[in-house]
Amino acid sequence: MKTFNLTDPGEGLTEAEIVRWLVAEGDEVKINDIVVEVETSKSLVELPIPWAGRVDALLVPEGETVDVGTPLIRIDDGSGPEPAAAPAGTTESVEQKREPNLVGYGPTEGATKRRARRTREVDEGAAKAHDQVEDSFDGQRSASRPVDEPAPLHAVRAQASGEPLPRPGQPAAQQHPSVVAANKVLAKPPLRKFAKEQGVDLSEVTGTGPGGVIRRVDVDAYLEARTAAASAPASSASQHRHPGLEAKREPIKGVRKATAAAMVSSAFTAPHASEWVTLDVTESMELLERIRRRREFREVKVSPLLLVAKAVCLALRRTPEMNTSWDEDAQEIVFHGHVNLGIAAATPRGLLVPNIPDAANMELLELAYALNEVTERAKQGRTQPSELSGGTFTITNVGPFGIDSGTPILNPGEAGILALGQIARRPWVVGEGADEKIVPRWVTTLAISFDHRLMDGEGGSLFLADVARILGDPGQALLF
C-alpha cells in the first residue's frame, strides 16, 4: 500500500486546491497516470501517480486547499499494508525506506527525532537559598536561623467577615444590581480574542459557565442570534433584488490570492507614472485585413493585438529602458537582452499573465501563433508556472470590454505595461488647410504605465509615441 502526498508542483509553492479527481476509488491506475488536478496560486497542474495498482482511497475531497506534504491518495500496489510506525528508539524507525516522488526522494520518516526534554532538576542548594531569602522577611525568625529549623507557630484568633450566611430554608439574598454591573467579564484570553475578531462585546453575552464564566458556546449562541436578527429584514428585501446580487463570501485563494499580493506589491513598491495617446489606426486595420487574406495566416487568429505586440517589440529597441528591472539588493538596473512579452489574459480563474519568450526576434506569423497559444492555454487553465515568470514587458487588452483605456498596474519586476483600448469608428480630422475635413476613422487609445525609477517622462513619451507612430502608419516599421 502506497500513500501519495501533495508535492510541490514548482516555484516553491506551499499549498494547492484539489480541483478535480480524475480517478475513483476502485479504479486501476498505471505509473504516471494523471489522477488529480490541483490549482496553485499560479496555474492548474495535473499530478501523475508514481505507482501502479488500485485506488484504495481518496483522502482529500474536491474543493479543499491543503498544504504541500498532505496525503492525497492511497494506492494498493500489492505490497501489503503500509508498515506501522516503529517504536521510538528502535533501529527500524531510523532506517525506514525512502519513497520516490515527483521531485526526487521524499524525506526519511523518523530520520529526525525530537530530543527528549531534560527533566527539570531542582537544585537543592538553590532551594535552600530561596527559603533563606524568603524567611529573611519573616519577623518571627532570626536572620541567623538555620535553613532546616522550623519556624514557631503562633495562634491567630478567627474573625467573622462578609455577609451572614442564610439560615436553613431561607433563600440566599440576591446580589445587588450595582454589584453585578461592577463585576468584570469572566472569560479566558483565547475566547476574548475570538470575540474581538467577531466584533462581539462580551459584556452583552450571558455566561453559562461556573460563576458566570463565558464559554465558547455562549459566544456562538450570541453570534447565531445576531446573524438571525440581521438576516430577517434582508430576506424580505432580497425578494426585490436581482438574483446576481445576493450577499455571499468567497475564500481568497489560488490565482485571486496571488494576483492580489502581486498588485499590492507592485503598486506600493514601484512608483507608477502613466501617459495616454489617442490615434487613428485605420491603416493598421486595413493592413490587418490584407494579412488575414494571406494563405500562411489562414490557420491562425489575427487580431489588432498582433500588430500592437509587434509595434511594442520594435519600439523597445529604441527605448530599452522600458525593458528593464530594478534590482534593489544589488542597487542596479537590469537591462534585459531579450523581450519576454507578457499578455494579460482574463480567465475564469482570474487574471493571468503568461509571456512569450524572445518575442522581439519572432516574425509576424510566428508571433501570431505564439499569441494564440498562450491566450488559449490561459483560458483553458493549462498555463504552466514557468510561463508566468520571467516576463520583461506586458500588454493588457481592455478593448474587447468596450473600454477606451485605463491606468494599468505594472506586473511586478517589469518597467512598463501598455493598455490597448477598444478600436471604434469615430469622427477624425484629416487633411490640412483647405483640404481639412472630418471623416469617420478607426480610432483607439493607448495608455502606458512605467516604473518612474527606471524611466523618466521623456523616455516613456518617446516609447509611447513610437508605438503610436507604427500603428498609425505601419510603413514606419521599416525605419525601426
Side-chain angles (χ1 to χ4, degrees):
M1 199 75 73
K2 306 290 186 184
T3 300
F4 179 71
N5 300 335
L6 175 63
T7 57
D8 180 3
E11 307 296 329
L13 302 176
T14 59
E15 64 180 17
E17 178 187 351
I18 307 302
V19 177
R20 185 164 64 106
W21 282 107
L22 303 179
V23 295
E25 294 180 355
D27 288 355
E28 295 291 335
V29 295
K30 303 186 296 295
I31 295 177
N32 290 332
D33 276 359
I34 304 298
V35 297
V36 63
E37 289 180 347
V38 300
E39 181 179 12
T40 70
S41 61
K42 295 186 176 181
S43 64
L44 198 65
V45 180
E46 296 176 335
L47 297 183
I49 194 75
W51 310 294
R54 182 180 57 81
V55 178
D56 182 68
L58 304 180
L59 305 177
V60 180
E62 294 179 354
E64 186 168 320
T65 300
V66 295
D67 295 332
V68 170
T70 301
L72 299 182
I73 184 173
R74 189 166 57 237
I75 301 296
D76 183 358
D77 64 342
S79 61
E82 290 182 297
T90 64
T91 303
E92 292 181 357
S93 64
V94 178
E95 299 179 352
Q96 290 179 0
K97 184 179 179 180
R98 302 180 68 186
E99 296 293 345
N101 56 32
L102 295 180
V103 294
Y105 287 84
T108 302
E109 297 182 5
T112 59
K113 296 190 296 182
R114 184 185 297 277
R115 178 178 297 177
R117 294 184 176 180
R118 296 180 56 189
T119 303
R120 183 178 180 180
E121 299 178 357
V122 179
D123 189 312
E124 184 178 355
K128 291 181 178 179
H130 176 271
D131 290 341
Q132 284 184 324
V133 173
E134 184 177 32
D135 290 343
S136 67
F137 295 94
D138 188 353
Q140 302 297 327
R141 179 176 299 192
S142 62
S144 59
R145 175 183 61 82
V147 173
D148 54 351
E149 180 182 339
L153 299 177
H154 301 279
V156 178
R157 182 182 298 276
Q159 296 181 353
S161 62
E163 297 292 333
L165 295 174
R167 296 179 179 280
Q170 180 181 358
Q174 294 184 348
Q175 200 170 11
H176 194 277
S178 61
V179 176
V180 176
N183 284 343
K184 296 182 179 179
V185 173
L186 301 177
K188 295 181 178 179
L191 187 61
R192 291 178 182 274
K193 180 181 179 183
F194 172 74
K196 185 178 180 180
E197 293 173 348
Q198 299 298 322
V200 175
D201 183 358
L202 287 179
S203 65
E204 299 177 357
V205 180
T206 302
T208 60
V213 173
I214 299 175
R215 303 182 299 173
R216 174 63 181 267
V217 293
D218 301 328
V219 177
D220 289 342
Y222 177 87
L223 288 172
E224 291 179 2
R226 188 176 69 176
T227 302
S231 61
S235 299
S236 58
S238 63
Q239 297 176 358
H240 306 288
R241 292 179 179 175
H242 192 279
L245 297 179
E246 64 268 21
K248 61 180 181 180
R249 285 175 171 263
E250 292 184 346
I252 302 173
K253 59 183 181 180
V255 174
R256 174 56 58 194
K257 185 176 182 180
T259 300
M263 293 299 98
V264 170
S265 173
S266 175
F268 295 99
T269 301
H272 286 54
S274 298
E275 296 177 338
W276 294 265
V277 61
T278 299
L279 65 150
D280 176 7
V281 292
T282 301
E283 293 192 26
S284 282
M285 298 301 287
E286 293 172 353
L287 172 62
L288 209 58
E289 288 301 321
R290 293 197 296 273
I291 293 174
R292 286 168 176 161
R293 290 195 293 268
R294 294 182 66 87
R295 179 181 302 173
E296 62 269 32
F297 284 89
R298 289 178 180 173
E299 303 298 329
V300 62
K301 179 182 178 182
V302 177
S303 70
L305 180 60
L306 172 61
L307 298 184
V308 174
K310 189 63 178 178
V312 164
C313 291
L314 293 174
L316 287 175
R317 296 178 181 177
R318 292 180 27 145
T319 316
E321 294 83 1
M322 194 64 81
N323 195 50
T324 59
S325 296
W326 181 273
D327 190 338
E328 180 68 26
D329 294 335
Q331 286 295 292
E332 294 176 345
I333 296 175
V334 181
F335 285 77
H336 302 292
H338 53 273
V339 177
N340 290 346
L341 188 61
I343 304 297
T347 74
R349 299 169 53 235
L351 176 64
L352 293 178
V353 188
N355 66 75
I356 302 173
D358 206 13
N361 286 328
M362 291 184 175
E363 296 181 352
L364 194 62
L365 180 60
E366 186 180 5
L367 185 58
Y369 275 104
L371 274 174
N372 280 255
E373 290 176 3
V374 296
T375 53
E376 286 302 317
R377 279 203 299 271
K379 292 177 180 177
Q380 296 172 5
R382 304 298 177 187
T383 301
Q384 297 302 308
S386 59
E387 298 177 83
L388 300 171
S389 60
T392 61
F393 188 91
T394 293
I395 298 175
T396 178
N397 184 11
V398 297
F401 306 107
I403 301 302
D404 290 337
S405 193
T407 304
I409 297 179
L410 292 167
N411 207 19
E414 299 179 7
I417 179 172
L418 180 81
L420 170 63
Q422 66 170 333
I423 299 175
R425 298 287 283 175
R426 293 179 181 175
W428 196 260
V429 178
V430 298
E432 296 179 356
D435 296 331
E436 189 176 82
K437 57 184 178 181
I438 298 176
V439 297
R441 305 285 287 180
W442 289 106
V443 177
T444 190
T445 299
L446 303 176
I448 180 78
S449 289
F450 53 88
D451 187 339
H452 219 325
R453 298 174 300 178
L454 298 164
M455 176 78 58
D456 53 22
E458 179 186 17
S461 301
L462 290 175
F463 172 81
L464 186 58
D466 280 345
V467 175
R469 187 176 299 112
I470 296 172
L471 295 176
D473 180 6
Q476 293 283 331
L478 297 175
L479 304 178
F480 283 74

